[in-house]
Every structure is written in C-alpha cells, then in structure tokens.
Amino acid sequence: MGQTLSYFSGPNLPAAIPADGWDSPQADTHRQAMCDSLRTRGYAIISLPAQTQEALAATRVHIHEFMSRTPFEEKLALRLPPRNDPLLPIRPNRGYISGKVKEFLKIRAYPSDDGLYPPNHPELKASFSSALGAMRKHTQDAFFEVSKCSEGSDKFLGTIRDFADEGSSLSVIRYYKFDQQRREMENPKEYEETADEKVVQDTASHLALQEHRDTGLFTFIEVGRTPGLEVWDPVLNRWIMAEREIAPGHAVLIMGRKMELFMPEYKATLHRVTIDKEVERYSLLYFMDLPSGPNNN
C-alpha cells in the first residue's frame, strides 16, 4: 500500500517520500516531490515500510553484539588481503575495516560476499542479508524514478543501474566513544590515522566524519537512534541534524559525484557526522555505485 506524503516538526523540511509508494495512484506526485527535493536541497527524506524497519532493527541488534563482544583478532579474520599488484597493493574496501574513530562491516550487493560474514554469527548474516535486500530495492527504485524526471535520461540511467550492483554495498558502521585509551585497547594492533578525524570547538562533541561528498551515485542512510548525521540544506542555509529533526522509521537519500556527473542538474550532497563524545553510534547505509575495478572495491 502506498502512503501519503508526511511532514515533520523540523522547520521547513521537505516532505517524506514513501519507499513503497511507486505503485500507488500518487506515484507521479511522489516522484516529482523527490526530484524537486534532490535538485533544490541535495537530499530527500524517505519513509520506510514496517518490514524494512524490522530488518534494520534486527541488524542493529546483531551487529552490536558482534562489534562489542567479538575479539579483535576474530574481526581481523574478515578483512580482505591487499590486491596482488606490486604497483597498487590496495586492500579492497569490503569486509571488516577498522579505523581510529570507527569500525565497520561492508558487504557487496552482488556477487554474493558470503565469505565475509562472521562464521560464528549466523543470525547476523540472516538479518544483514535481509537489510541489504530491502535497502538495495529502495535505492534502486529511487534511482529508477529519478531517471524519469529528466527527459531522455531514463534509458541511459537504466543501463547504469544494471551495472550498479557490482559496485554497491551495505555498511554498518560503529563509531567509538571519543576515548583514545579505549580505542587502543579494543584495536591493539591496527588503527589508522584518518583525514576524517577532527575535534570540533564544542567540547561536548567531536567530528567523527568530516564534511564531504560521496563518490558514488546514491547513498541511502537510515535515520538512526543516536544523533550524528548532518546534511547541508542550501535552501535553509544550515546543517540538518537528521536524528533530531526526522522521525525514526525514515532514511535520508543523498547523491554522490557520479550522479552529478551523469545528471548535472543534481549536485553531490555535502554531509558529515558529529557525535557526542560520551556516546557510541551505529549507522546503516547502502552505497549505490558502479564497480571500480577487478575487486569491485
């Protein structure tokens, strides 16, 4: 069943688009609202059906158990080795990845990345696969509908969509509390200095992910339970604090640089993650992108 457009308490935010509303009589209205929001604001708010919400909730529970209770050595077993290329021995950007402010598990949409799931956590694999399928469908549906908004682009973007699975993935990210000693204890062997790390002036929070634009086509980000995601709104000329201004049960759809390349009327979305130093945060997001090489990083 398609839903009607809904609004939020945040001042002047765009209407939410139902993720399952493309077969409803209001589909044309939903499509136009989504395209207008992406063109003018750089993002769209998507309301999620109950089944998707349940899949994401289960994934959050199981990923928390895995990330917080699994020894670091066991997590490292899920890392992919570097490419067998003496000139460019880059580690594939999939599997388990650790950093100084975060760790995450990233699974490709297609072909199957079954070997990257934790072998001792079958319930995580089941919930992760369900969440991957749901977010993949919602992102692909949105991409297909946006292609209809630009005359002559539907066939071209339809062809791109056929290749996007091999470069697309679902990530679950755990941002640590801002506690250097705790991070060193949890990741005793490996954590990397990253350009993302930066302490903000507000002593109660830290910038866990600097403002940036993604490189892919679309990123579909669940509105989580812990504040942190911020998206720049050029209409309001301020940062939208997603978890504080958008109700649970929704996602934020943002655009990457490839979308801007293929459709110049759409601009890649500026966003960042700012988290209270005393909290830990989990984030679920689906990257829709084209394959970048033989390992589809």
Side-chain angles (χ1 to χ4, degrees), residues 41-43 175 200 202 205-214 221-224 226-233 238-246 252 254 269-276 281 283:
R41 298 176 185 259
Y43 67 95
Y175 291 95
V200 295
D202 179 2
S205 61
H206 71 105
L207 192 60
L209 188 62
Q210 285 192 51
E211 58 188 59
H212 67 288
R213 295 174 174 86
D214 289 347
I221 311 171
E222 182 203 21
V223 174
T226 304
L229 174 63
E230 299 183 2
V231 180
W232 181 254
D233 188 319
R238 68 175 179 87
W239 291 101
I240 300 299
M241 296 180 286
E243 285 81 11
R244 298 186 188 279
E245 301 186 58
I246 304 172
V252 178
I254 64 174
T269 313
L270 190 65
H271 59 293
R272 66 185 185 184
V273 177
T274 304
I275 308 174
D276 187 293
R281 182 178 189 271
S283 178

Side-chain angles (χ1 to χ4, degrees), residues 98-102 180 183-184 190-198 210:
S98 62
K100 193 173 179 181
V101 298
K102 59 183 178 291
Q180 180 68 37
R183 285 192 222 122
E184 291 181 4
E190 293 188 38
Y191 62 77
E192 298 120 12
E193 293 280 352
T194 70
D196 295 337
E197 294 189 84
K198 186 179 180 182
Q210 285 192 51

Side-chain angles (χ1 to χ4, degrees), residues 176-192:
Y176 303 123
K177 290 183 181 179
F178 196 78
D179 184 334
Q180 180 68 37
Q181 182 178 4
R182 179 167 180 261
R183 285 192 222 122
E184 291 181 4
M185 291 175 62
E186 290 201 3
N187 292 5
K189 290 193 173 182
E190 293 188 38
Y191 62 77
E192 298 120 12

Side-chain angles (χ1 to χ4, degrees), residues 80 93-95 106-118 125 132 166 168-170 295-296:
L80 290 176
N93 188 23
R94 302 198 324 278
K106 183 175 183 179
I107 303 293
R108 180 175 54 190
Y110 178 86
S112 172
D113 264 339
D114 280 354
L116 298 183
Y117 286 106
K125 178 179 178 180
L132 173 59
E166 294 185 22
S168 300
S169 58
L170 176 66
N295 286 318
N296 297 335

Side-chain angles (χ1 to χ4, degrees), residues 1 3 6 8 16-20 45-62 126-128 130-136 138 170 220-225 246-252 284:
M1 292 277 303
Q3 306 168 30
S6 56
F8 303 95
I17 312 301
D20 58 351
I45 300 171
I46 309 294
S47 58
L48 302 175
Q51 187 174 2
T52 298
Q53 294 183 48
E54 292 168 3
L56 299 184
T59 301
R60 282 196 304 272
V61 170
H62 295 138
S127 63
F128 205 104
S130 180
L132 173 59
M135 296 186 82
R136 171 178 174 261
H138 298 326
L170 176 66
F220 193 91
I221 311 171
E222 182 203 21
V223 174
R225 302 303 190 264
I246 304 172
H250 292 80
V252 178
L284 281 80

